[in-house]
Amino acid sequence: MSGGDTRAAIARPGMAVAHGPVAPSSPEQVTLLPVQRSFSLPRFSRATPSISLAESVLKVWHEAYNSGLLPQLMAQHSLAMAQNGAVPSEATKRDQNLKRGNWGNQIEFVLTSVGYAVGLGNVWRFPYLCYRNGGGAFMFPYFIMLIFCGIPLFFMELSFGQFASQGCLGVWRISPMFKGVGYGMMVVSTYIGIYYNVVICIAFYYFFSSMTHVLPWAYCNNPWNTRDCAGVLDASNLTNGSRPAALPSNLSHLLNHSLQRTSPSEEYWRLYVLKLSGDIGNFGEVRLPLLGCLGVSWVVVFLCLIRGVKSSGKVVYFTATFPYVVLTILFVRGVTLEGAFTGIMYYLTPQWDKILEAKVWGDAASQIFYSLGCAWGGLITMASYNKFHNNCYRDSVIISITNCATSVYAGFVIFSILGFMASHLGVDVSRVADHGPGLAFVAYPEALTLLPISPLWSLLFFFMLILLGLGTQFCLLETLVTAIVDEVGNEWILQKKTYVTLGVAVAGFLLGIPLTSQAGIYWLLLMDNYAASFSLVVISCIMCVAIMYIYGHQNYFQDIQMMLGFPPPLFFQICWRFVSPAIIFFILVFTVIQYQPITYNHYQYPGWAVAIGFLMALSSVLCIPLYAMFRLCRTDGDTLLQRLKNATKPSRDWGPALLEHRTGRYAPTIIPSPDDGFEVQPLHPDKAQIPIVGSNGSSRLQDSRI
């Protein structure tokens, strides 16, 4: 029975549902039979006071209940639901939040979160940090940061977004003065989304370049190669696809003592793909092949998000699982190569003297935030599409451990191949890898030339990189779109969400064009080192303080218990209140003390470029105090202390998004009838609509079951 039929049954005297079970003629039609008892509706005018109107409505409901009509209508509604395939005692299979939407099932959320956390950084950032920070010694601070910072913050952000069912802006109804934290998350996601898709576009370029019978970076006989080029295949006089036995002793001696040796893959990367300029200020020309691949990557991202989480939730079944297949294939192949054991030992053997350097701990903390996606806003956004009672505690542990295990696993794949290369070149493992993204676009491509049917392996590897990048990029774009839609919060923008997604994608493409120039790699590394480093640490620390000490830890623990059915474990309570903020703060101090300017190979960044990097980092952090001052100026209060108190207390619409979940202290105040005290219960729960105030103050209707 539709909502209109129900209202008609009440409005017309002499009509009701027959007593006893009724078999409707069809699932779509419910027959209303005459009844002997009827009642009349009061007439309402525009001048009717709100209290009188509410009392009159309650009287109507009470009279319907006493006349026996209400129970019969509810029974008829249950029968109609059963005719449509729904069991009356069970909830129908539909979204809890009809306006905003939910995940199709819980597997989609877990896979999306795994794809978000397991990204390009697990392949080219984590092994590179291990290579730079003492091999296996880096594991110790990495797992310390994971246990005491990563997993607790991951759980906090998931529970935060899931409880409020809002993006990174809307959740700050919990303490409106700290909404600048949400804006800071948006700024960070914007920076990362811009340069992250440029890395994906380079992977697309290598993927397309691999569609040939001979990889273009296999030999040194190309027009872009220099006299210093020395390829393993050239030196061994081997055909493509064969495995070299060993290098001649004279060439090995030459490579050992020559500082000018460059591999064909490195020259392909610097001189052909990038056409690298000599300075960050010398943009040169835009590399049209990279620009085309950038357009392809943004089109793919947009098409996968054209229906929001409904479409991306289906795509992740492939994008989040296939990379593990390729990693396993490369691992099995890598450990069987000569010299792989040497590389793995270099990966695992700790250099304990480096563990005393603050930079190692800073890199460990940054990698945890970078890899898990803490303080990006993506975790809050993805969790906001969960059903209210989903066990996000279980999900946070599973996803965090999966992510870090993948990082370690990828390190074995990387270093087994680095050991293989070093063995054939007769050099130390530390001399065969480039810095930054070059590890994925120099070391791997050169190793792939040594494998049988190298173009096939190259296609698989770069396709894996594309999928890893897209999994993260989906969430970055959805974070920005969700924040915009939730902030506006009206029906028009909810219906035009696809156009918002398109607008954000087009803006990201335009902002990424400078990164496809000849100086693009300098800017990409500048954004990577500054936009997503210590600013993430600051944002996470302030988020912990705002929730635990401004909103109150007891209040938040009660919220989680209401949502999950149990309070957060004691370990997480201690970490949230004391351990995580303290560790983050001291790492931030040590990182500032031992700061060193950024370099790329032998290129030293000029002072003005470093200043721009700091401005990018500060732009996300400054959102917090600037918005706090703005909020204080807009808040009512006679004194500054009173304004501060009003600006930090939760807003009236803080809490679960759906009325059915607003229990306890979140229960809405309902005006009782002066006669009988009955509460209003809608006849058609699935059609009930309640006004919800958006995070910007605008009102809209929110579907709910009451």
Side-chain angles (χ1 to χ4, degrees), residues 79-395:
L79 181 60
M81 288 176 59
Q83 293 291 332
N84 287 304
V87 181
S89 60
E90 295 181 358
T92 55
K93 283 190 174 182
R94 61 190 306 177
D95 292 345
Q96 281 191 336
N97 196 325
L98 297 182
K99 290 291 183 183
R100 202 168 181 274
N102 294 103
W103 295 105
N105 55 64
Q106 206 50 37
I107 297 179
E108 292 182 7
F109 167 70
V110 173
L111 289 179
T112 300
S113 300
V114 169
Y116 173 61
V118 179
L120 294 172
N122 297 77
V123 174
W124 66 262
R125 186 180 177 94
F126 178 81
Y128 164 62
L129 290 177
C130 284
Y131 154 76
R132 190 177 68 176
N133 292 311
F138 184 72
M139 298 289 186
F140 181 75
Y142 180 74
F143 283 106
I144 290 294
M145 293 300 131
L146 170 66
I147 295 173
F148 290 99
C149 290
I151 297 179
L153 291 176
F154 200 93
F155 179 32
M156 173 181 284
E157 292 198 30
L158 289 189
S159 60
F160 196 19
Q162 180 174 308
F163 183 79
S165 297
Q166 288 289 313
C168 61
L169 292 181
V171 291
W172 289 103
R173 297 169 181 172
I174 191 174
S175 185
M177 195 179 79
F178 289 92
K179 192 175 180 179
V181 175
Y183 284 109
M185 291 177 175
M186 287 187 65
V187 172
V188 170
S189 293
T190 301
Y191 286 141
I192 298 175
I194 291 171
Y195 79 80
Y196 212 83
N197 229 18
V198 174
V199 179
I200 298 175
C201 91
I202 298 175
F204 265 113
Y205 184 83
Y206 271 81
F207 177 77
F208 295 138
S209 299
S210 301
M211 296 180 180
T212 178
H213 66 284
V214 177
L215 293 175
W217 56 84
Y219 298 97
C220 291
N221 57 355
N222 301 289
W224 58 82
N225 291 125
T226 66
R227 297 177 58 186
D228 298 324
C229 180
V232 175
L233 294 180
D234 290 322
S236 302
N237 195 23
L238 298 170
T239 60
N240 185 50
S242 62
R243 178 181 173 184
L247 285 178
S249 58
N250 58 341
L251 179 59
S252 177
H253 178 78
L254 175 64
L255 294 177
N256 248 329
H257 294 84
S258 175
L259 298 177
Q260 295 182 342
R261 183 264 170 185
T262 56
S263 66
S265 62
E266 183 178 352
E267 292 196 347
Y268 180 78
W269 162 254
R270 290 191 299 105
L271 303 179
Y272 185 74
V273 177
L274 301 178
K275 288 191 177 179
L276 190 63
S277 65
D279 185 71
I280 188 174
N282 183 15
F283 284 90
E285 63 180 10
V286 172
R287 299 285 294 122
L288 293 181
L290 293 182
L291 181 63
C293 291
L294 181 63
V296 170
S297 61
W298 274 112
V299 168
V300 171
V301 172
F302 168 72
L303 292 179
C304 292
L305 287 174
I306 194 169
R307 294 182 58 236
V309 296
K310 291 300 181 184
S311 55
S312 65
K314 303 301 184 291
V315 175
V316 294
Y317 281 104
F318 179 71
T319 60
T321 56
F322 184 75
Y324 289 97
V325 177
V326 179
L327 272 179
T328 301
I329 295 173
L330 291 175
F331 172 75
V332 172
R333 180 56 179 156
V335 296
T336 60
L337 297 174
E338 180 184 356
F341 180 76
T342 304
I344 293 176
M345 289 306 298
Y346 188 90
Y347 173 51
L348 296 178
T349 303
Q351 301 177 27
W352 294 110
D353 56 319
K354 290 195 173 185
I355 207 172
L356 300 177
E357 298 179 9
K359 184 172 179 56
V360 175
W361 290 84
D363 285 341
S366 297
Q367 174 61 15
I368 286 295
F369 292 125
Y370 190 96
S371 184
L372 290 178
C374 297
W376 292 17
L379 296 178
I380 295 176
T381 302
M382 295 302 104
S384 70
Y385 293 101
N386 277 335
K387 302 258 177 102
F388 183 73
H389 295 294
N390 171 64
N391 190 349
C392 58
Y393 167 66
R394 171 203 59 202
D395 296 340

Side-chain angles (χ1 to χ4, degrees), residues 163 388 548 551-568 573 576 663-666:
F163 183 79
F388 183 73
M548 291 293 105
Y551 177 64
H553 63 278
Q554 289 295 345
N555 291 331
Y556 194 69
F557 297 161
Q558 291 173 11
D559 292 343
I560 293 180
Q561 185 167 7
M562 182 177 74
M563 179 174 62
L564 302 182
F566 58 89
Q573 297 183 20
W576 287 347
T663 60
R665 68 178 185 272
Y666 297 106

Side-chain angles (χ1 to χ4, degrees), residues 55-70:
E55 292 176 356
S56 300
V57 172
L58 288 169
K59 288 180 180 180
V60 172
W61 283 83
H62 189 201
E63 188 173 350
Y65 183 85
N66 291 335
S67 65
L69 177 61
L70 181 59

